[in-house]
Amino acid sequence: MRLGTFNLMHGRSLTDGLVDSERVGAAVAGLDADVLGLQEVDRGQPRSGHADLTRIAADALGATETLFVPAVVGTPGEGFRVATDADGEGPDPHYGVALVSRYPVTQWRVTRLPAAPLRAPIMIQGPRRGRLMLLDDEPRVLVAAVVETPVGRMTIATTHLSFVPGWNVRQLRLVLRALRAMPAPRVLLADLNLPGGLPRLFSGWHRLAGVPTYPAHAPRVQFDHILADRRGFERLPRVVDVASPQLPFSDHRPVVVTLRDRPGTSLID
C-alpha cells in the first residue's frame, strides 16, 4: 500500500512558469500512490488552462474515488471569496485540496478551517528566485475518507494548513478533533506548514516519513507530512520505503510511503 501527499502549486513549473496538463499527469503517475492527498489544487483557473487537476491526477493513477473541495472561489493572490459547501460545482475558478484513491471509499467528510485574522510574510518561489510577500491568509479545508484498503477499513485525510505561525497549530488541533470521530487507523497526508518534528510534537501522532520537501530544487525543510494516529497504529503495516522525488513542477517535493508486511512498526517513530 502506497500513500502520498503532494502540494501541486497548481501544476506550475518553476523552470518555464507554465502549467502543462500532460506533464502533471505523467509526474503524478510516476508516484504510483494508491491514495494521494493533493494541495494547492486548481479547477477552472485561467492560470492553469482551466484544467481540472484532480481529474488529471486521478486518471494518471487509475483512481476511481476522488473528491476535490474548494477552499476559495477565485484566484489566490488576485481576488477570492471563502468557498462554502454549495461551491462544489459551477463555472467559477476554484482552488483547494483533493483526495484521490484507488481503493473504495465508503464515507467522505469535509471540515472547513477558518483563515488567520492577520496578514503574514511568505516566500513566493519563482523561476529565478524567491521573493517575500505580505499576504492575507486563506481559509483551509480538511477532506477525510473512510477507505477500504487491503489491511481493512481506515481513515485517510488531507489538508493544507495556514502559513501563519501558531494559527496552523490551532488548525491542526481542529483537524485531529475531526479525525478522531472517524474510524481508526487514521492517516493524515498533508502540507502542514510546520517544519520537521513539530507536527509530531503538537499532534502526538507517529511521523511515517522524515525527509525535507521544500524548496523543491534544494529541499532544506519538511512541510509535507504523513502522520498516523497512535490509536489503531498497531493495525498498520510497517513503512518499508519513503520516496520524495523532484518533479518538473511545484516548489514542493511529494512524499510517498510504502507500507507492507509486519504491522505495528515504522521506519521513523
Side-chain angles (χ1 to χ4, degrees):
M1 181 168 65
R2 290 169 61 84
L3 307 178
T5 183
F6 188 20
N7 181 322
L8 297 177
M9 200 184 76
H10 62 271
R12 183 168 65 89
S13 167
L14 292 179
T15 302
D16 58 25
L18 301 177
V19 178
D20 185 309
S21 295
E22 292 186 1
R23 179 162 54 191
V24 172
V28 172
L31 298 179
D32 194 28
D34 297 306
V35 184
L36 182 64
L38 299 170
Q39 306 87 39
E40 295 196 13
V41 183
D42 276 6
R43 187 180 67 189
Q45 294 276 2
R47 67 184 183 185
S48 49
H50 301 276
D52 183 342
L53 295 183
T54 304
R55 176 48 52 192
I56 291 170
D59 289 346
L61 293 172
T64 56
E65 302 276 7
T66 70
L67 183 61
F68 165 79
V69 178
V72 303
V73 179
T75 304
E78 297 180 14
F80 62 85
R81 65 171 174 83
V82 177
T84 69
D85 292 342
D87 291 308
E89 302 294 337
D92 294 322
H94 294 84
Y95 173 82
V97 302
L99 195 68
V100 300
S101 173
R102 292 169 171 168
Y103 303 136
V105 172
T106 60
Q107 178 187 352
W108 293 100
R109 180 173 295 183
V110 174
T111 303
R112 296 195 175 274
L113 308 170
L118 61 144
R119 306 181 95 194
I122 185 172
M123 182 65 70
I124 304 295
Q125 295 294 322
R128 296 182 179 179
R129 62 180 182 178
R131 66 187 191 278
L132 198 64
M133 295 184 65
L134 192 64
L135 295 179
D136 290 318
D137 193 22
E138 304 153 11
R140 310 289 168 153
V141 63
L142 169 72
V143 176
V146 178
V147 185
E148 297 293 339
T149 77
V151 298
R153 184 180 68 164
M154 60 185 295
T155 297
I156 304 177
T158 190
T159 193
H160 182 195
L161 299 187
S162 172
F163 54 81
V164 178
W167 195 260
N168 44 25
V169 176
R170 180 178 184 272
Q171 290 176 332
L172 179 59
R173 289 172 178 153
L174 294 174
V175 164
L176 300 179
R177 185 184 306 165
L179 294 182
R180 284 275 166 78
M182 301 181 72
R186 307 175 187 94
V187 175
L188 179 61
L189 317 168
D191 176 355
L192 299 178
N193 271 313
L194 289 165
L198 288 184
R200 177 170 61 102
L201 176 66
F202 290 125
S203 68
W205 287 30
H206 288 287
R207 184 167 61 137
L208 300 189
V211 58
T213 60
Y214 183 89
H217 68 283
R220 299 182 297 275
V221 62
Q222 181 176 7
F223 287 136
D224 307 272
H225 300 271
I226 299 180
L227 305 176
D229 192 353
R230 294 178 185 273
R231 303 179 191 180
F233 180 71
E234 69 283 354
R235 284 182 263 159
L236 288 177
R238 68 188 181 103
V239 177
V240 297
D241 185 66
V242 175
S244 185
Q246 183 175 8
L247 299 183
F249 60 91
S250 184
D251 54 349
H252 289 244
R253 292 194 183 192
V255 180
V256 179
V257 296
T258 303
L259 297 93
R260 186 185 300 136
D261 302 325
R262 181 167 54 89
T265 59
S266 168
L267 287 181
I268 305 303
D269 52 44

